[in-house]
Amino acid sequence: MTPSPAQPTDLKKSPLHERHLALGAKFAEFGGWEMPLEYSGVVAEHTAVRTSVGVFDVSHLGKATVKGPGAAAYVNACLTNDLGKIAPGQAQYTLCCNERGGVVDDLIAYLHADGDVFLIPNAANTAEVVRLLQADAPDGVEVTNVHDDYAILAVQGANSDEVVSAIGLPIGHDYMAFATADFGGTPVVVCRTGYTGERGYELVVPNAAAVPVFDALLKAGEQYGIVPAGLGARDTLRTEMGYPLHGQDISPDITPVQARSGWAVGWKKEHFWGDAALRAEKEQGPVRILRGLRAAGRGIPRPHMTVLDQSGATLGEVTSGTFSPTLKKGVALALLDAAVKEGDQVTVDIRGRQEIFDVVKPPFVTVHVR
């Protein structure tokens, strides 16, 4: 879902909203929340994350708990990835699919214990994910929506270790691993995750501690040129990495097989939601596939623009597209006919002008996430 200008309605607000106002943030609506779109400018914030460090407030992301005997086994029987492949203290990217194999949501599962799983869905989909899990939950397993109880701060960039450690939180654990630490008497979960392609951490913070943690991060990061970064830079950063955004690159009508997210599916598991449809599609091959597009010229692609072959026949459409501040050219994800291969050239209809793009495999930039 692309952020849109925030409207003065009943949008939810982050516990850090007053801090964002003081920092001069421009706001946008995102999943029913009024969140910072940018502060100093998208390109400046994007560049800070790629070269030094930035901090994002992503408190709009959902939070839910699944607790009780067999909680992890229950989650594993519902969501696509194999939770049995990780141990307590590790997190996993996974998908919640419908019976057609479409993606209801993508989310991160934090495995605290066999009877304790913490889920981070997308903002707009949290209620539906919780509803689905509650509907099928066995006796003794309780699924609770705690969306409004926690803030989430993402510290991303080459200097993220220095900033996080400076405020007394743990660093250096493996990618997709987490640790719980004390901050002023409040437990904070620190996970080696992010949505930018840079080394970084995501902090799950009870609301009461959100402001003190945010203030401490900004102060500790002053010597590294830390900047608060908004959802605009988050979108350009994740697009450069080829990371999918729900509602655009994956959706209830776009399957993980089509989106090349089959690595997040536990194909050897006995069952998960949508497994029959996904196994059938994997066996016969998808009719469309999510590909990367990199501009050969100066064209800047945007979602829903039509992708054509050299003869003018329609091949599909752009799902995510932007100007890459790192490459200084347009990049996109596009859902295309399966016959299109990496190395091909296609054109994108940009307001009636046919711009040439190379079909490539994301990421578009070098990965530093580990």
Side-chain angles (χ1 to χ4, degrees), residues 155-209:
V155 186
Q156 300 284 294
N159 296 119
S160 57
D161 282 62
E162 291 85 347
V163 174
V164 172
S165 65
I167 70 169
L169 295 178
I171 61 168
H173 34 297
D174 291 340
Y175 183 60
M176 296 300 283
F178 64 88
T180 302
D182 178 88
F183 182 91
T186 300
V188 173
V189 175
V190 182
C191 193
R192 278 271 288 110
T193 48
Y195 199 44
T196 66
E198 297 298 328
R199 184 176 180 87
Y201 298 84
E202 290 182 311
L203 317 181
V204 182
V205 185
N207 281 348

Side-chain angles (χ1 to χ4, degrees), residues 46 50 196-198 235-244 249 260 290-296 301 318-334 336 342 357-368:
H46 177 112
R50 285 277 183 254
T196 66
E198 297 298 328
D235 193 57
T236 55
L237 288 158
R238 71 91 192 168
T239 303
E240 285 187 345
M241 289 304 300
Y243 291 156
D249 313 298
R260 301 178 74 179
L290 195 70
R291 299 285 189 187
L293 301 181
R294 184 178 60 219
V318 172
T319 53
S320 288
T322 191
F323 172 78
S324 162
T326 304
L327 300 178
K328 303 295 191 290
K329 62 175 55 184
V331 296
L333 297 175
L336 305 177
E342 291 166 17
F357 282 75
D358 296 311
V359 180
V360 299
K361 183 179 180 179
F364 301 99
V365 299
T366 303
V367 179
H368 297 117

Side-chain angles (χ1 to χ4, degrees), residues 20 23 25-26 35-42 44-49 53-58 153-154 156 196 214 218 226-234 237:
H20 301 317
L23 288 166
K26 296 178 182 177
M35 298 299 294
L37 181 64
E38 60 179 281
Y39 304 83
S40 56
V42 171
E45 293 161 25
H46 177 112
T47 302
V49 172
V53 63
V55 58
F56 300 81
D57 177 9
V58 288
L153 297 173
Q156 300 284 294
T196 66
F214 184 72
L218 288 182
I226 195 171
V227 301
L231 295 179
R234 181 174 160 88
L237 288 158

Side-chain angles (χ1 to χ4, degrees), residues 1-65:
M1 178 186 305
T2 302
S4 57
Q7 302 298 321
T9 61
D10 58 352
L11 296 177
K12 292 183 177 182
K13 292 179 172 60
S14 160
L16 295 164
H17 188 77
E18 295 301 318
R19 284 291 189 271
H20 301 317
L21 286 172
L23 288 166
K26 296 178 182 177
F27 292 91
E29 186 278 333
F30 202 95
W33 290 64
E34 185 177 8
M35 298 299 294
L37 181 64
E38 60 179 281
Y39 304 83
S40 56
V42 171
V43 173
E45 293 161 25
H46 177 112
T47 302
V49 172
R50 285 277 183 254
T51 59
S52 53
V53 63
V55 58
F56 300 81
D57 177 9
V58 288
S59 300
H60 63 297
L61 293 177
K63 307 98 188 171
T65 59

Side-chain angles (χ1 to χ4, degrees), residues 67-112:
K67 294 186 176 183
Y74 171 59
V75 170
N76 201 35
C78 299
L79 307 184
T80 61
N81 214 335
D82 189 352
L83 206 58
K85 291 183 176 181
I86 66 172
Q90 293 180 303
Q92 184 182 72
Y93 178 82
T94 189
L95 304 160
C96 174
C97 289
N98 58 33
E99 62 181 11
R100 303 184 311 278
V103 181
V104 175
D105 200 20
D106 62 334
L107 56 162
I108 302 290
Y110 286 59
L111 181 61
H112 286 272

Side-chain angles (χ1 to χ4, degrees), residues 329-346:
K329 62 175 55 184
V331 296
L333 297 175
L335 200 57
L336 305 177
D337 187 287
V340 179
K341 305 298 182 185
E342 291 166 17
D344 290 350
Q345 280 197 327
V346 297

